[in-house]
Amino acid sequence: MGLSDLDPAVHERRPWNAERNVGPKRPLKPRDIWAIRFYLDEHRRLRDRALFDLAIDSKLRGCDLVKLKIGDIVSGGQIRNRATGIQQKTNRPVQFEIMTEARRSVEAWLQRRGGTIFNFVFPSRVDYLGHLSTRQYARLVNEWVSIVGLDKREYGTHSMRRTKASSIYKATGNLRAIQILLGHTNIENTVRYLGVDVDDALTLSERTDI
């Protein structure tokens, strides 16, 4: 049975988004990144350190990150400088770089993890042949940000995806480059994703003196 909008009970119900932050998730700042890395290293959490670093560098959605296989990021026994992932949302490939910190942490994890190029980089604890679930990845992100004193309501898996993209945009103002890195089909999606507004445009314009 449905309720009418005129029924008093409808207006007495608690809104689903009460006390929730339903807007875009905030990117991490450099000091937050290093604080999380320090914590994970101190507690010898090799998997989480590799997952964190790869999430930052790859800029992949959580559903694509957890499905990466060892063969996607390893070639000839070495961690690739550049790798390619397939986006579940668009079914299109997107390239990403793997920087020194990520290569080091991923290599340490894979030495411990073992496996072949056909295995997932981050296996499930329930089904070792399967991959880490996106739900578990989200729980880990919540834990990481909480550990360094951030409000987990303001951060999430998309914070990981946005962190490096936001830094690159602030440094260069190149939306087209960010579009390519995030694998967006059109630049309007990139504008909305980064939250670009008039103030951002004016700030970039003020850097150019003709």
Side-chain angles (χ1 to χ4, degrees):
M1 295 177 62
L3 295 174
S4 168
D5 289 339
L6 301 178
D7 287 334
V10 172
H11 302 284
E12 293 171 359
R13 289 188 299 177
R14 182 180 175 82
W16 70 271
N17 60 348
E19 298 182 1
R20 295 185 184 181
N21 186 337
V22 296
K25 299 302 183 181
R26 299 175 61 179
L28 295 173
K29 296 179 179 179
R31 66 170 180 268
D32 302 325
I33 294 172
W34 285 105
I36 292 172
R37 283 173 171 166
F38 178 81
Y39 174 85
L40 296 177
D41 286 345
E42 186 178 35
H43 290 79
R44 303 174 65 186
R45 292 169 61 170
L46 296 181
R47 182 203 64 177
D48 288 5
R49 174 62 195 272
L51 180 62
F52 177 78
D53 286 343
L54 200 54
I56 294 291
D57 276 357
S58 71
K59 301 168 287 292
L60 291 172
R61 297 177 181 88
C63 60
D64 301 324
L65 175 66
V66 298
K67 291 179 182 176
L68 285 175
K69 293 188 175 181
I70 295 176
D72 294 328
I73 61 173
V74 172
S75 178
Q78 301 292 323
I79 307 298
R80 299 173 186 263
N81 292 329
R82 292 183 180 180
T84 302
I86 302 297
Q87 300 178 99
Q88 178 178 297
K89 188 173 182 178
T90 63
N91 200 34
R92 296 172 59 182
V94 61
Q95 289 189 319
F96 57 90
E97 73 286 357
I98 305 178
M99 304 300 287
T100 303
E101 285 293 330
R103 288 200 300 272
R104 185 182 297 119
S105 61
V106 170
E107 182 177 11
W109 162 243
L110 290 180
Q111 287 178 353
R112 182 75 175 180
R113 184 244 185 277
T116 72
I117 61 173
F118 303 105
N119 294 131
F120 292 108
V121 178
F122 305 106
S124 166
R125 293 180 300 174
V126 178
D127 175 13
Y128 200 67
L129 294 179
H131 58 75
L132 182 78
S133 70
T134 53
R135 182 181 293 273
Q136 179 63 14
Y137 171 51
R139 290 195 191 102
L140 289 171
V141 172
N142 285 342
E143 179 190 359
W144 298 337
V145 298
S146 298
I147 282 167
V148 297
L150 301 176
D151 187 345
K152 65 181 181 181
R153 293 173 299 180
E154 296 182 355
Y155 296 84
T157 57
H158 274 278
S159 296
M160 313 299 293
R161 178 164 157 79
R162 293 184 66 203
T163 292
K164 197 165 187 178
S166 296
S167 296
I168 295 171
Y169 172 70
K170 288 179 181 178
T172 66
N174 191 333
L175 277 173
R176 173 58 180 161
I178 307 304
Q179 178 192 359
I180 294 171
L181 292 172
L182 293 177
H184 286 161
T185 54
N186 59 70
I187 205 162
E188 286 77 12
N189 292 339
T190 308
V191 171
R192 286 195 298 270
Y193 195 79
L194 292 179
V196 178
D197 56 22
V198 174
D199 287 340
D200 292 325
L202 289 174
T203 299
L204 291 171
S205 181
E206 287 168 352
R207 294 179 187 172
T208 304
D209 188 10
I210 298 177

